[in-house]
Amino acid sequence: MTEYAIEVENLTKKFGDFTAVDDLSLNVKNNEIFGFLGPNGAGKSTTIRMLCTLAQPTSGSAKVAGYDLTKDPAKVRENIGLVAEKMIMYDRLTAAENLRFFGKLYAMPKKKLEERIDELLELVNMQEWKNTQINKFSTGMKQRINVIRALLPEPKILFMDEPTLGLDPQTTFSIRDITRDINQSGVTVILTTHAMAEAEALSDRVAIIDHGKIAALDTPQNLKKSISHGDKAIFSAKIMNLTSGMVEKIRSLDVVTAVAQQDDYDLKISAEGKDSLNQIIDAIRSEGGNIVSITNNSESTLEDVFLAVTGKEMRDQANEKPAAVHHGHGHAPQSRVR
């Protein structure tokens, strides 16, 4: 058995003269959570659609759960689950009736289906609402049912497209915990998200796709390490007896580029140079300053990585429109990153 749940080699998808996915190659390991990020129009959604057998590649190849994408699409579908961005449920049916309906589409035996429904409702703490109509649920409760609907046939690989979009913070954390539980049960998870914190908190590895190509792929920690601030640093300093003289002394240092006083005790100091911290500490002490703490806030974030490799900030994607060519190929207009 291969160590990879997904193997992609030179995968390409063209719409006329437009190349949505450009000679893309990557591997997803068994039992990992793989984060998939990218600006609008980058090719992320098209790649996921191909891996879920919802779109045919123009060229290249891929294996999903060991089965060839184009030669064995039925086998691929037997081994995957999809939590789509749009919830797929019927409001007039109860939670159990919705799950029963979809379970029958998978041709699951009745006894096995009922056992699976109870097991999954317990997973998301929804047992007491088993016989309640979906239209009485909050958005977060609906999303829990939407997630376990995709788990009914016990897939080896679960694709989750923006699973926490539009949810309140408490429900978001709940869905993230459920995602970890799903993964720990042996399911490989492919996560697309616009939330940097979500990608960093959940993903074992993250791929950033731009212009149809992989722009970066590694663990979140390694990706952050790869983006260096050079000798620039931003320090937060808490000084118990802070005076205007201390502020001016710090500001006069050649290594200091900016000083902002937050309140009676706190300074934000921007500096550059490998010895900047020592010089700042010496300046404060020379004025009799009582330093409570100084912290370096310059560690790179996943947002910095995204900006560095795509030239765009993730949070700005909400203002973008996807390429018009996508609209003619089954892609609904989007108002945010996918």
Side-chain angles (χ1 to χ4, degrees):
M1 180 180 174
T2 176
E3 67 176 299
Y4 298 115
I6 297 175
E7 301 171 83
V8 177
E9 189 171 348
N10 309 120
L11 200 64
T12 299
K13 180 64 175 179
K14 294 184 177 182
F15 298 110
D17 294 332
F18 176 74
T19 303
V21 178
D22 189 3
D23 200 38
L24 187 145
S25 297
L26 63 87
N27 293 323
V28 177
K29 298 174 184 177
N30 284 314
N31 301 333
E32 78 172 329
I33 299 179
F34 189 87
F36 210 43
L37 309 175
N40 277 337
K44 180 174 78 275
S45 295
T46 304
T47 301
I48 297 300
R49 285 178 60 81
M50 286 190 286
L51 295 178
C52 290
T53 75
L54 298 174
Q56 284 284 331
T58 303
S59 62
S61 63
K63 284 186 176 181
V64 178
Y67 295 100
D68 189 278
L69 202 61
T70 53
K71 295 177 183 176
D72 297 304
K75 284 290 187 182
V76 170
R77 287 191 287 270
E78 285 178 16
N79 286 277
I80 65 172
L82 172 63
V83 180
E85 177 192 335
K86 184 177 180 181
M87 293 186 194
I88 306 171
M89 281 174 295
Y90 296 96
D91 277 354
R92 293 187 181 181
L93 299 181
T94 66
E97 286 169 342
N98 266 280
L99 295 173
R100 211 168 280 133
F101 171 78
F102 287 104
K104 288 178 179 177
L105 293 180
Y106 291 116
M108 294 179 69
K110 185 176 180 180
K111 186 173 184 294
K112 172 67 175 175
L113 176 57
E114 293 302 321
E115 290 173 354
R116 187 69 174 151
I117 288 172
D118 288 337
E119 177 186 335
L120 292 172
L121 286 171
E122 186 174 350
L123 173 69
V124 295
N125 296 315
M126 291 283 290
Q127 308 95 313
E128 63 183 287
W129 291 283
K130 177 179 179 177
N131 297 312
T132 303
Q133 282 185 318
I134 290 285
N135 60 9
K136 296 179 181 176
F137 288 177
S138 67
T139 302
M141 293 168 74
K142 288 180 180 179
Q143 181 65 329
R144 292 189 203 183
I145 302 300
N146 191 44
V147 169
I148 63 174
R149 173 200 54 75
L151 293 172
L152 280 168
E154 300 182 90
K156 293 179 181 177
I157 302 167
L158 182 66
F159 292 88
M160 303 184 75
D161 189 8
E162 305 280 12
T164 61
L165 182 70
L167 301 181
D168 62 84
Q170 184 177 358
T171 307
T172 293
F173 286 120
S174 174
I175 295 296
R176 290 178 187 173
D177 286 341
I178 290 166
T179 302
R180 290 189 188 96
D181 289 341
I182 291 168
N183 176 245
Q184 287 170 9
S185 73
V187 178
T188 303
V189 177
I190 313 299
L191 173 72
T192 66
T193 179
H194 71 291
M196 293 287 99
E198 184 160 271
E200 186 168 346
L202 288 176
S203 304
D204 296 305
R205 290 188 302 150
V206 170
I208 298 175
I209 185 171
D210 195 28
H211 301 297
K213 294 178 177 291
I214 297 293
L217 198 168
D218 210 328
T219 64
Q221 198 58 37
N222 284 345
L223 286 174
K224 289 190 296 181
K225 286 179 181 177
S226 71
I227 306 299
S228 173
H229 287 283
D231 291 335
K232 294 181 180 179
I234 299 173
F235 300 102
S236 292
K238 183 179 284 292
I239 305 166
M240 284 303 295
N241 57 339
L242 182 62
T243 65
S244 58
M246 290 178 202
V247 174
E248 290 307 313
K249 180 75 172 181
I250 295 168
R251 188 173 279 126
S252 69
L253 296 174
D254 290 339
V255 295
V256 172
T257 56
V259 179
Q261 187 166 346
Q262 310 291 303
D263 54 35
D264 291 342
Y265 308 102
D266 296 316
L267 290 180
K268 186 80 77 174
I269 306 164
S270 178
E272 54 186 6
K274 293 181 179 179
D275 194 41
S276 57
L277 177 59
N278 288 332
Q279 291 190 45
I280 290 168
I281 291 173
D282 288 345
I284 295 170
R285 287 177 174 166
S286 71
E287 294 292 312
N290 180 8
I291 301 171
V292 177
S293 64
I294 291 185
T295 57
N296 188 334
N297 299 331
S298 303
E299 182 183 352
S300 297
T301 66
L302 214 49
E303 183 89 33
D304 295 330
V305 177
F306 190 90
L307 177 63
V309 301
T310 70
K312 302 173 183 178
E313 290 189 79
M314 201 63 157
R315 58 178 169 267
D316 292 339
Q317 299 306 304
N319 299 321
E320 289 198 359
K321 303 288 184 185
V325 66
H326 284 178
H327 297 171
H329 300 277
H331 291 252
Q334 307 164 43
S335 59
R336 45 162 194 79
V337 68
R338 291 200 59 197

